[in-house]
């Protein structure tokens, strides 16, 4: 009977529509997670930078300001994404775990006081961002 076929076609169309909608939503969440992780890494990288300036014949090194809230936000994202990786995306998990390892033992005081630690964090973030094509 053609009515049964129409009902089945309608059911198939609805099923395909909702599957596509769910897949698009999951991909949107994954993109947002990647964007948040990249954004916080770029912020920390930028804030770890130093600048050499000559003032009145003296060479001075100016450090950008680092904020505890930025480091805290990074740790929160790392912890959230450890538990919430919907598609078990290996690229996101790899970046997350490398970022977590990079920040292990790093405190805002250590970053403020140590140019070497700033440079190590900067270079580590560069390596991670290269994996994202940044």
């Amino acid at each position: 009977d053609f009515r049964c076929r129409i009902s089945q076609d309608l059911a198939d169309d609805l099923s395909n529509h909702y599957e596509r909608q769910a897949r698009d939503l999951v991909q949107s969440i994954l993109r947002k997670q990647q964007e948040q992780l990249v954004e916080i890494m770029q912020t920390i990288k930028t804030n770890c930078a130093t600048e050499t300036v000559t003032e009145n014949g003296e060479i001075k090194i100016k450090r950008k300001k680092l904020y505890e809230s930025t480091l805290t936000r990074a740790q929160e994202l790392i912890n959230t994404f450890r538990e919430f990786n919907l598609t078990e995306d290996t690229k996101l998990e790899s970046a997350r775990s490398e970022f977590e390892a990079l920040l292990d033992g790093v405190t805002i005081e250590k970053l403020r006081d140590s140019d070497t630690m700033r440079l190590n964090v900067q270079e580590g973030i560069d390596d991670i961002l290269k994996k994202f094509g940044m």
Side-chain angles (χ1 to χ4, degrees), residues 80-92:
T80 300
F81 295 165
R82 179 186 312 113
E83 302 297 324
F84 192 68
N85 186 347
L86 290 176
T87 61
E88 297 181 12
D89 184 68
T90 56
K91 191 174 172 182
L92 178 65

Side-chain angles (χ1 to χ4, degrees), residues 48 50 63 102 110-124:
C48 283
T50 57
R63 298 180 181 122
L102 180 66
K110 289 179 183 177
L111 279 175
R112 286 179 180 155
D113 295 339
S114 173
D115 289 335
T116 304
M117 183 171 276
R118 281 177 179 247
L119 185 59
N120 288 341
V121 168
Q122 249 186 325
E123 289 173 351

Side-chain angles (χ1 to χ4, degrees), residues 6 16 20 52 71 77-78 86 96 99 110 114 123:
I6 289 173
N16 290 337
R20 188 173 43 255
T52 304
L71 199 56
L77 286 176
I78 288 168
L86 290 176
R96 186 213 60 80
F99 191 38
K110 289 179 183 177
S114 173
E123 289 173 351

Side-chain angles (χ1 to χ4, degrees), residues 12-92:
D12 291 344
D13 285 347
L14 285 172
S15 176
N16 290 337
H17 170 74
Y18 289 120
E19 283 178 24
R20 188 173 43 255
Q21 191 176 25
R23 193 173 39 252
D24 290 347
L25 183 61
V26 168
Q27 288 302 315
S28 172
I29 291 169
L30 181 62
R31 274 192 304 278
K32 185 167 174 106
Q33 284 179 308
Q34 290 175 348
E35 289 169 4
Q36 288 175 327
L37 195 60
V38 167
E39 178 187 337
I40 195 70
M41 284 192 285
Q42 287 176 332
T43 300
I44 291 172
K45 177 185 164 195
T46 300
N47 291 346
C48 283
T50 57
E51 183 180 350
T52 304
V53 178
T54 305
E55 291 180 4
N56 300 327
E58 292 182 38
I59 297 175
K60 294 184 179 181
I61 296 177
K62 288 192 175 185
R63 298 180 181 122
K64 295 206 176 201
K65 288 191 177 189
L66 294 164
Y67 298 97
E68 180 76 33
S69 60
T70 305
L71 199 56
T72 301
R73 186 168 156 244
Q75 291 294 345
E76 288 171 353
L77 286 176
I78 288 168
N79 293 333
T80 300
F81 295 165
R82 179 186 312 113
E83 302 297 324
F84 192 68
N85 186 347
L86 290 176
T87 61
E88 297 181 12
D89 184 68
T90 56
K91 191 174 172 182
L92 178 65

